Amino acid sequence: MVQLVGSLRKELADSLYTCKVLVVGAGGIGCELLKNLVLTGFKNIEVIDLDTIDVSNLNRQFLFQKKHVGKSKAQVAKESVLQFCPSANITAYHDSIMNPDYNVEFFRKFMLVMNALDNRAARNHVNRMCLAADVPLIESGTAGYLGQVTVIKKGLTECYECQPKPAQKTFPGCTIRNTPSEPIHCIVWAKYLFNQLFGEEDADQEVSPDTADPEAAWNPEEATARASASEKDGDVKRVSTKEWARSTGYDPIKLFNKLFKDDIMYLLTMDKLWKKRKAPTPLDWTQLENKASPQEESPASGLKDQQVLGVWGCCQLFKHSVETLRSELREKGDNAELVWDKDDPAAMDFVTSAANLRMHIFSMNMKSRFDVKSMAGNIIPAIATTNAVIAGLIVLEGLKILSGELESCRTIFLNKCPNVRKKLLVPCVLDPPSKNCYVCASKPEVTVKLNVQKTTVLSLQDRILKERFGMVAPDVQIEDGKGTILISSEEGETEANNSKYLSDFGIRNGSRLQSDDFLQDYTLLINVLHTEELERDVEFEVVGEAPDKAPPPQSNPEEVNSITNGNKDSAQPSTSSKGQPQTRHLFKVFIFSLCRNNLVFYQCILCHLCNTFCTLKQKKKNSETSR
């Protein structure tokens, strides 16, 4: 007879009591996951998160309350979870998992690592650390009503980087600076503007009109004559944006007239840009102030973040945010810099107002603060029930691993609507490692196409190795028979090389570079393919199977797995046939125990039902209207 401790077999319950688990992330999924872990019987947990609690977190991260705003997520999550199970041993780190202190030896002390992250860089890093430490990793993520859980085990399954991921969408510089046609272009421009004025200046984030735009073939002398018609206060001087702003004392009205009047008038002199496009309309602060009506200043009904301000309302918001950010800069001292954060009210007000004013100038419909924040922070609205379901699935996959049933682990997709089999949860068999993966292959190797005469060592380090291939502290050696060190992770050792071109070190078509990241215990061989035919604004391309080319979109995760595995029956349930009744019983008892111990679960279900009811009601209303 099987001996049970609560809802678990005694052997499994004993292993939960002794095993050490690392949870990376204490946000939406992390809060639910930590609660589930202690209620299931895990006793030794370490949690790490760099973030602090914001008011916007409180609607779905139920371990936090209003009194916790501004405090460490990891620390508060620990304190809240201990109220469920005071005997648990939980260690919290308010830190980045990419800190060198959390090396391979740190990861090796855990039997399981569970990811509850929201960014690809950290996911890539944890994936590599778990491969190096040979520790099972349970990866997860949510996007609105969609969610996914999968298990990664070195040598047995695909790693996180085996499959191509779509690159974050970028836009040509001339589109952002000269000819925006979508609200997202204006929002990106406003974020760039924030950095140019208050943050770290980046030449790739210039906001002034781009005179090198190939579409703008105009006569510079004629343009200068036309642009001279602008007023002197904000006259366009080709100096650094930050330098010009400092010279005005960050005067919000002078900034406004430069950005939304003088720069736009300068754009209008580029005649060819506007032959097939609607020309922008400059704004003038004084004229807008004279035309402003008292109604525009009075708040509209409804939620503040979902109101779309008028033009003068955006002007006032721009002025107020500039004044606030100017004060913050002064408090920090000379040469201080601010970092853009979507949860910083002043920074968000600045981006909202600047983006909306530019939208108006280019004849686009303006957006609410909520909409701008969603696009500026790349946020997909988080749903508490999705996080709860995914967190429960993470624990179930963890129980399979600790039971020695790794072969019964599955990748599980949570869909918004039932599939053809009327299932919301679709389990798929785990795929084996990809032979072409540049991370988990036995000898990782890639070919990079670039121009060796134009690519600097700093670009190789920052844009290719760190940004593209996810390294943290790379060391690069040229395979030239001499072992020439091109990049060293030791501070200052190869700093003099940064501004030099790759060709200055004899690197040419066919050269090979060996890049080592000792923190990640990872080595990558890079074959250099020299070319002078890259597209404009493209610094390099990765040849072959590297994840800069996203796979074609698939409508049904179940069908994806069916094709991969050769037949439609391969998308099996997430349990093996021999242990199916017992695992089903375990699932039911596990969910019941969570419900019994956690009123929040009921709140999540109620919230979900309300959302569904409202959606159905709206559809019915739309249907009646169309009739």
Side-chain angles (χ1 to χ4, degrees):
M1 188 176 186
V2 177
Q3 188 177 356
L4 295 178
V5 176
S7 59
L8 304 176
R9 298 191 314 273
K10 185 177 185 304
E11 299 84 353
L12 181 56
D14 290 342
S15 67
L16 298 192
Y17 193 86
T18 57
C19 82
K20 294 191 76 172
V21 177
L22 174 64
V23 175
V24 188
I29 297 175
C31 282
E32 294 286 346
L33 178 56
L34 287 165
K35 174 260 298 177
N36 288 355
L37 288 172
V38 296
L39 291 178
T40 308
F42 287 85
K43 296 294 182 183
N44 297 293
I45 304 168
E46 298 192 17
V47 58
I48 181 168
D49 196 306
L50 180 62
D51 280 353
T52 54
I53 299 162
D54 183 73
V55 173
S56 63
N57 303 145
L58 303 183
N59 70 332
R60 65 192 181 279
Q61 298 175 20
F62 298 118
L63 298 181
F64 309 142
Q65 299 173 31
K66 192 172 182 180
K67 65 182 180 182
H68 297 136
V69 171
K71 295 182 179 179
S72 160
K73 282 188 176 181
Q75 189 60 41
V76 173
K78 168 190 170 180
E79 293 166 3
S80 299
V81 165
L82 286 174
Q83 295 179 41
F84 289 97
C85 181
S87 61
N89 177 26
I90 303 175
T91 305
Y93 303 93
H94 179 55
D95 205 351
S96 167
I97 192 63
M98 298 175 78
N99 187 315
D101 292 340
Y102 309 110
N103 53 23
V104 174
E105 290 305 314
F106 173 81
F107 277 81
R108 280 191 181 130
K109 67 183 182 180
F110 300 103
M111 289 184 68
L112 277 176
V113 176
M114 299 176 174
N115 262 356
L117 290 161
D118 62 358
N119 70 89
R120 190 179 299 173
R123 282 189 170 109
N124 288 346
H125 180 70
V126 174
N127 174 59
R128 297 178 188 192
M129 300 305 288
C130 288
L131 291 173
D134 199 9
V135 176
L137 168 65
I138 304 177
E139 180 58 77
S140 66
T142 62
Y145 289 102
L146 306 177
Q148 181 180 349
V149 174
T150 192
V151 173
I152 296 169
K153 182 68 173 76
K154 183 179 181 180
L156 296 178
T157 72
E158 283 185 335
C159 78
Y160 178 73
E161 296 169 84
C162 274
Q163 287 297 330
K165 305 286 191 302
Q168 186 170 348
K169 195 172 182 183
T170 56
F171 307 97
C174 53
T175 300
I176 299 298
R177 295 166 65 181
N178 291 359
T179 55
S181 57
E182 299 174 26
I184 187 63
H185 298 156
C186 300
I187 293 167
V188 170
W189 177 87
K191 284 180 70 176
Y192 286 177
L193 177 62
F194 178 92
N195 285 333
Q196 292 292 328
L197 291 175
F198 307 107
E200 182 179 357
E201 289 184 278
D202 185 339
D204 293 331
Q205 296 184 356
E206 183 56 67
V207 293
S208 296
D210 183 6
T211 56
D213 190 331
E215 281 193 78
W218 43 276
N219 185 330
E221 292 177 9
E222 184 184 347
T224 303
R226 292 191 205 175
S228 64
S230 62
E231 293 181 10
K232 293 183 179 179
D233 268 350
D235 199 8
V236 180
K237 299 174 183 177
R238 298 301 160 207
V239 295
S240 138
T241 306
K242 182 177 283 188
E243 184 182 335
W244 185 88
R246 280 177 178 164
S247 71
T248 68
Y250 285 99
D251 183 301
I253 297 174
K254 289 185 177 181
L255 281 175
F256 180 96
N257 281 332
K258 179 203 182 298
L259 297 165
F260 305 116
K261 178 188 172 187
D262 296 323
D263 278 0
I264 303 304
M265 290 179 71
Y266 193 84
L267 276 176
L268 288 171
T269 64
M270 302 181 190
D271 297 337
K272 290 197 175 182
L273 287 177
W274 318 116
K275 284 188 176 179
K276 296 181 181 180
R277 296 183 180 91
K278 185 173 180 180
T281 306
L283 297 176
D284 180 87
W285 180 277
T286 306
Q287 291 178 8
L288 290 170
E289 189 173 28
N290 292 336
K291 291 179 184 177
S293 63
Q295 293 175 345
E296 276 199 80
E297 296 185 16
S298 60
S301 58
L303 295 173
K304 183 181 176 183
D305 273 13
Q306 294 186 4
Q307 296 170 10
V308 179
L309 298 175
V311 177
W312 182 243
C314 287
C315 294
Q316 293 293 89
L317 187 63
F318 178 83
K319 181 174 182 287
H320 176 72
S321 61
V322 169
E323 289 169 347
T324 305
L325 294 167
R326 178 178 63 191
S327 299
E328 290 179 14
L329 265 183
R330 286 174 179 170
E331 285 175 11
K332 286 178 171 282
D334 293 339
N335 299 319
E337 293 174 347
L338 301 180
V339 178
W340 190 83
D341 183 349
K342 67 181 185 299
D343 294 322
D344 175 14
M348 197 61 239
D349 285 346
F350 177 84
V351 168
T352 300
S353 58
N356 270 319
L357 289 166
R358 193 163 172 87
M359 287 179 217
H360 178 76
I361 286 167
F362 285 90
S363 304
M364 294 176 230
N365 291 328
M366 297 195 288
K367 299 288 182 182
S368 68
R369 190 178 192 274
F370 178 84
D371 290 334
V372 172
K373 185 174 182 179
S374 295
M375 289 188 271
N378 299 317
I379 304 167
I380 297 170
I383 297 171
T385 43
T386 309
N387 291 335
V389 171
I390 292 301
L393 293 171
I394 294 171
V395 176
L396 287 173
E397 293 303 303
L399 294 177
K400 292 179 192 176
I401 295 170
L402 294 175
S403 299
E405 299 176 7
L406 194 62
E407 72 283 353
S408 68
C409 289
R410 296 289 183 267
T411 293
I412 306 172
F413 297 92
L414 172 63
N415 294 330
K416 183 177 181 179
C417 301
N419 64 1
V420 290
R421 298 181 184 180
K422 299 182 179 179
K423 291 181 179 179
L424 282 174
L425 292 174
V426 182
C428 301
V429 176
L430 296 170
D431 290 317
S434 168
K435 293 179 182 178
N436 296 320
C437 179
Y438 64 77
V439 174
C440 66
S442 56
K443 292 183 179 179
E445 187 169 339
V446 292
T447 298
V448 178
K449 187 190 293 185
L450 49 77
N451 188 329
V452 296
Q453 294 167 350
K454 292 184 178 179
T455 303
T456 64
V457 173
L458 186 62
S459 290
L460 172 68
Q461 175 184 278
D462 290 348
R463 299 299 298 276
I464 301 178
L465 299 177
K466 290 185 177 180
E467 216 174 280
R468 181 62 184 78
F469 293 118
M471 293 186 166
V472 177
D475 291 274
V476 179
Q477 177 179 308
I478 305 172
E479 292 195 346
D480 55 359
K482 305 174 187 176
T484 304
I485 303 298
L486 189 65
I487 298 171
S488 172
S489 58
E490 295 294 327
E491 191 174 349
E493 197 167 291
T494 55
E495 200 172 314
N497 295 347
N498 286 350
S499 59
K500 296 180 181 178
Y501 296 106
L502 299 186
S503 56
D504 295 339
F505 296 87
I507 297 172
R508 58 184 186 277
N509 190 50
S511 292
R512 285 164 62 90
L513 309 176
Q514 178 176 309
S515 181
D516 298 288
D517 191 315
F518 294 105
L519 173 63
Q520 297 178 343
D521 193 14
Y522 172 54
T523 298
L524 178 67
L525 285 175
I526 301 170
N527 298 302
V528 176
L529 186 62
H530 172 69
T531 181
E532 296 180 3
E533 298 177 354
L534 291 172
E535 294 179 18
R536 188 171 183 265
D537 292 333
V538 175
E539 290 185 55
F540 66 93
E541 290 178 4
V542 180
V543 178
E545 297 297 319
D548 59 336
K549 294 181 181 178
Q554 302 285 352
S555 58
N556 191 333
E558 188 175 29
E559 293 302 316
V560 176
N561 193 265
S562 300
I563 295 168
T564 304
N565 291 286
N567 72 80
K568 290 194 175 184
D569 293 324
S570 61
Q572 305 164 19
S574 59
T575 55
S576 59
S577 56
K578 63 181 180 180
Q580 203 170 20
Q582 181 183 348
T583 313
R584 280 181 178 172
H585 166 74
L586 172 62
F587 181 84
K588 289 176 182 176
V589 176
F590 176 73
I591 295 299
F592 174 76
S593 66
L594 291 183
C595 293
R596 184 185 60 194
N597 287 289
N598 189 10
L599 183 61
V600 167
F601 190 88
Y602 291 116
Q603 294 171 338
C604 292
I605 296 299
L606 182 60
C607 176
H608 182 65
L609 289 173
C610 289
N611 287 338
T612 305
F613 174 75
C614 292
T615 303
L616 291 172
K617 189 176 178 181
Q618 186 63 43
K619 284 182 179 177
K620 185 178 178 182
K621 185 178 177 182
N622 293 342
S623 173
E624 290 172 353
T625 305
S626 64
R627 288 176 195 166

